[in-house]
Amino acid sequence: MSHTDAVSSVRLDHTPTIPLHEACGIVMAACVAAQPSAVLLRNALSHVAADDVLSSVVVPPFNNSGMDGFAVVAEDCASSSTRLKVVASIMAGEAASTELQSGQAARIMTGAPIPPGATAVCPVERTELDGDTVVLEGVVQPGDYVRLAGDDISPGDVVVRSGSSLGPVQIALLESVGCSEVLTYPPPRVGVLTTGDELMGAGEAGIRDSNRSMLLAALAREQFPAVDLGIVGDDADEIIRRLGEATERCDAVITTGGVSVGDRDVVRLTIDRLPTVTSQWMRVAIKPAKPFLFALLDAAPRTVPLFGLPGNPVSALVSFELFARPALRRMAGRRFLWRPLTAGIATEDFRRPLDGKTHFVTAVARMSKDQTVEIRPCGRQGSHRLSSLGDANALAVLPDGSGVPTGGRVSVFLLDADALFTGDPLEPMGFDVPISDLIPGCE
Ligand code: AMP
Ligand code: MG
């Protein structure tokens, strides 16, 4: 099909505008987690556990010292000063075979096994060596600085719950109980295809394809395997071919461009020619990113969600954040789908006209010293102005109305929660003390 054919298939469109929550509902209902599968622990970062993982072992595996010092029989050390004979030295990783007798001490390092007969450890700071003896200051109680076997984890304990996202701590917990494989929901493999005759190839003049780089990077941040499907012109046959190929390689596909109401909005105009289980072009009552196409491509026995985002970069990002990202996270089995929504005080006016839409405005949100979130618009707004997102760490959500005046309460989706706290580098996290007081040596 040529460009002209695509144009000739334009129908008069009376698609009603739908509210954001309705559009989200359509997308979310269609995007569900795949069957769980086993994955090596080293590849499991950001996967979601599909089952409770129970420990079959004891952690720590043996009684060991919590301090560098001397293992002793605590009953020997009931007075303020005790002299004991040093009979052994036990390093971490060594075995402790000799049984400690009353009147004896063993030099011991943190993590080294408590020798049989010893009941406590006296920290090195409270001791003084004197030839082959050691003098201990202060009373030592039974159990002092001894980490008992199973102190942390016992057999049968749930170390990771079903539904937990596996971050560094969960991965360490699984490692600590000797789990080298874990059952998880596989994260979706997501293809990114950008469309538009105006997009330049390498070395050509034209509009640079920033959307593809942005979306591939956004997927990488989510730990979703991404497939770069390249650029395609506004050519219906080629779009159909490329999307057909994509369904074989991908669990979901994101396109940008070609979903508005223009004559060359070919993604929208050709979707009917693809095998789909459902397809819905929407006008969503939001600004930017009003047009959005969602389809379930038929790749029997699988279905592959297609997120057709608008081409303007800010629209593409907003549409990704509102529709594709939460849906993909749902496919990955994650529990928290949307960016954290928080509210704060507007430190500048957020003006907007009444137009029946929810507006998303690029914004900077910062935690002030008194722990108030302060929010201001940032950059010149406009769906084509990617630069407005450059310094932004939030998207302000402005319901229909005239906006929020300075001092009013404004809601934001936090795109980068870390940046909430990067105010004055000498006063991190709004603490009213310089960082050099918190972390000595740090200016
Ligand atoms: P469209 O949604 O196809 O009507 O595209 C609207 C505008 O978005 C285009 O005129 C381009 O200026 C811009 N645009 C489309 N695709 C991209 C892209 N991949 N990267 C950067 N800008 C784009
Ligand atoms: Mg276009």
Side-chain angles (χ1 to χ4, degrees), residues 14-235:
H14 300 290
T15 309
T17 300
I18 58 171
L20 176 60
H21 67 85
E22 207 172 297
C24 288
I26 292 166
V27 174
M28 286 305 192
C31 295
V32 290
Q35 283 300 310
S37 59
V39 64
L40 288 175
L41 194 54
R42 65 169 169 273
N43 298 329
L45 179 63
S46 298
H47 285 218
V48 173
D51 218 345
D52 285 352
V53 181
L54 277 65
S55 174
S56 58
V57 299
V58 166
V59 180
F62 49 82
N63 298 347
N64 66 87
S65 177
M67 292 290 267
D68 293 334
F70 288 84
V72 297
V73 179
E75 291 69 17
D76 286 347
C77 313
S79 58
S80 59
S81 177
T82 311
R83 181 179 294 271
L84 298 169
K85 190 166 170 31
V86 181
V87 295
S89 180
I90 314 158
M91 302 291 143
E94 288 181 356
S97 37
T98 348
E99 180 158 354
L100 207 66
Q101 308 294 331
S102 176
Q104 296 181 337
R107 184 97 177 87
I108 194 164
M109 302 300 150
T110 306
I114 302 286
T119 58
V121 171
C122 180
V124 71
E125 293 84 346
R126 284 170 40 198
T127 67
E128 197 153 334
L129 267 178
D130 179 13
D132 63 352
T133 64
V134 62
V135 178
L136 277 51
E137 279 165 28
V139 175
V140 178
Q141 304 286 352
D144 278 2
Y145 302 106
V146 174
R147 294 172 180 162
L148 292 175
D151 211 14
D152 188 6
I153 299 168
S154 301
D157 283 357
V158 176
V159 286
V160 168
R161 290 194 190 285
S162 177
S164 307
S165 270
L166 304 181
V169 170
Q170 290 69 31
I171 285 174
L173 280 165
L174 292 167
E175 187 68 61
S176 71
V177 300
C179 183
S180 58
E181 256 190 12
V182 58
L183 195 69
T184 66
Y185 297 104
R189 175 174 295 275
V190 188
V192 178
L193 178 70
T194 44
T195 75
D197 280 343
E198 72 278 27
L199 300 181
M200 69 185 260
E204 296 166 20
I207 290 181
R208 297 195 74 109
D209 179 11
S210 57
N211 286 349
R212 193 156 43 101
S213 304
M214 174 173 74
L215 294 168
L216 290 169
L219 294 167
R221 262 210 177 155
E222 293 293 320
Q223 303 279 336
F224 295 151
V227 182
D228 184 352
L229 299 170
I231 305 176
V232 61
D234 294 321
D235 174 334

Side-chain angles (χ1 to χ4, degrees), residues 195-198 234 256-259 264-266 311:
T195 75
D197 280 343
E198 72 278 27
D234 294 321
T256 71
V259 293
R264 284 283 174 86
D265 282 317
V266 185

